[in-house]
Amino acid sequence: MDEAKRAAGTAAAALVEPGMRLGLGTGSTVAHLLDALAARRVADIAGIPTSRATEERCRELGIALLSPEDVAELDLAIDGADEFDASFQVTKGGGGALLREKVVATMARRFVVVATPDKEVERLGRSFPLPVEIVPFARGPVRRALEARGASVVLRRDASGPVLTDNGNEILDATFPAGIEDPAVLDLVLAAEPGVVTSGLFIDLVDEVILGAPDGTTVHRRTPETPAD
Ligand code: 5RP
């Protein structure tokens, strides 16, 4: 699986051109992207990291950093995903970076997801839980709202207690036994729920998906609206 992730990350790094302003995602597939990007030594690139972990790795690799204050728009954002469907809707946030990832994806003219074929699903939210970032005070009401929609909900924890995101919030992981029937509607419903910061649903944001295979090959899929290179 790691070879497949490396293939996807390396293929995405090849999309980066001199002078680009980038969005740099989070996760194990993006880790390969960052390595490949640093190895390519593309001139005058800089990126907004979507997590402290990515920020730290960029510093180690010498990739210049930006903040969302610095630029109005990004040329290209590249990030991983937990699941994607045939309509290019994706869920993210397995690594807890969903809010910054969504901010950065929304700033990008072109948003490319790097993944492996096992992440393609018929329905989102069934085999991998949907993360929902919440302010801690709203934990009970948001949990009940998700349960009323058929989800089983778990507060994300580690050995020291509830996991806090880079923004100081908590995460509820919601599994929908029948999958999410209408991801766009659920996204709107959750956005209107007081105390929800954001959900891991990325609706109509993805332009392309690069899928890596263990033999090092990749498949590049584009939405019907996305022009080929
Ligand atoms: C982090 C994410 C990741 O992009 C997602 O979890 C995929 O990670 P990986 O590439 O390690 O499988 O959304 O919040």
Side-chain angles (χ1 to χ4, degrees):
M1 195 50 77
D2 198 50
E3 277 315 306
K5 290 184 176 191
R6 186 193 312 279
T10 305
L15 301 176
V16 175
E17 293 170 13
M20 276 190 168
R21 296 297 171 252
L22 302 168
L24 300 170
T26 294
S28 55
T29 319
V30 165
H32 292 299
L33 160 78
L34 298 179
D35 287 346
L37 199 52
R40 278 195 61 206
R41 298 182 174 277
V42 187
D44 184 33
I45 57 166
I48 304 180
T50 54
S51 60
R52 293 209 183 108
T54 295
E55 181 177 340
E56 210 170 289
R57 186 66 185 138
C58 286
R59 287 192 203 285
E60 285 166 5
L61 291 168
I63 298 172
L65 295 169
L66 294 169
S67 100
E69 295 281 348
D70 300 328
V71 278
E73 198 176 54
L74 296 169
D75 301 294
L76 172 66
I78 303 168
D79 205 343
D82 297 311
E83 291 187 329
F84 65 96
D85 70 13
S87 309
F88 291 81
Q89 312 299 15
V90 310
T91 60
K92 292 184 45 53
L98 58 164
L99 175 60
R100 295 187 187 194
E101 291 174 333
K102 200 182 275 191
V103 170
V104 165
T106 305
M107 293 176 70
R109 273 205 301 274
R110 181 179 180 191
F111 180 40
V112 175
V113 159
V114 282
T116 46
D118 57 296
K119 293 184 174 183
E120 182 163 17
V121 294
E122 216 169 291
R123 275 199 178 188
L124 301 169
R126 183 163 41 197
S127 41
F128 197 98
L130 172 70
V132 181
E133 182 162 344
I134 56 161
V135 295
F137 183 77
R139 190 196 287 170
V142 177
R143 173 198 289 272
R144 286 189 284 275
L146 285 162
E147 287 171 347
R149 298 202 148 251
S152 59
V153 183
V154 174
L155 176 67
R156 195 177 295 186
R157 294 177 181 275
D158 61 17
S160 52
V163 169
L164 294 184
T165 68
D166 285 351
N167 318 297
N169 298 312
E170 293 179 351
I171 293 178
L172 294 176
D173 285 311
T175 305
F176 293 79
I180 298 170
E181 191 182 336
D182 190 332
V185 167
L186 182 63
D187 185 43
L188 292 175
V189 166
L190 289 175
E193 194 66 38
V196 169
V197 179
T198 198
S199 84
L201 285 163
F202 281 48
I203 302 299
D204 295 341
L205 284 173
V206 175
D207 299 300
E208 293 151 70
V209 177
I210 297 178
L211 297 174
D215 66 359
T217 58
T218 54
V219 172
H220 198 147
R221 292 205 210 151
R222 298 173 175 82
T223 64
E225 299 79 34
T226 305
D229 286 323

